[in-house]
Amino acid sequence: MDSDRIKGKWKQIKGSMKEHWGKLTDDDLDQAEGHRDYLVGKVQERYGISKDEAREQVDDFERKL
């Protein structure tokens, strides 16, 4: 799904993200809206994983949308 479609469906996607990454807060997700790099950074920070692993997780999540 491209970034424009993600932005348009953010509220729906946000719920799925909270289910997928339970450690992310509402604040994290509100800040991440439309900012993929921010989301990758928050996933990395909250889960203590490498940036590459966080990016891979976000990529996988986007492919499933």
Side-chain angles (χ1 to χ4, degrees):
M1 181 178 285
D2 64 44
S3 62
D4 288 335
R5 290 180 65 198
I6 289 172
K7 287 178 189 177
K9 295 184 176 195
W10 184 252
K11 289 187 189 250
Q12 295 167 335
I13 293 170
K14 185 177 162 182
S16 296
M17 287 180 167
K18 283 189 76 168
E19 287 178 22
H20 191 80
W21 293 294
K23 293 182 181 180
L24 294 180
T25 66
D26 285 330
D27 242 12
D28 292 337
L29 294 172
D30 288 342
Q31 292 287 325
E33 183 175 358
H35 303 281
R36 187 177 190 285
D37 289 337
Y38 181 87
L39 176 61
V40 169
K42 281 299 174 181
V43 170
Q44 176 187 8
E45 176 185 324
R46 298 281 188 229
Y47 288 90
I49 58 177
S50 72
K51 189 170 190 169
D52 288 338
E53 174 63 23
R55 186 176 294 117
E56 189 174 311
Q57 285 187 22
V58 172
D59 288 346
D60 288 343
F61 181 84
E62 287 177 347
R63 278 193 289 274
K64 293 176 184 175
L65 292 177

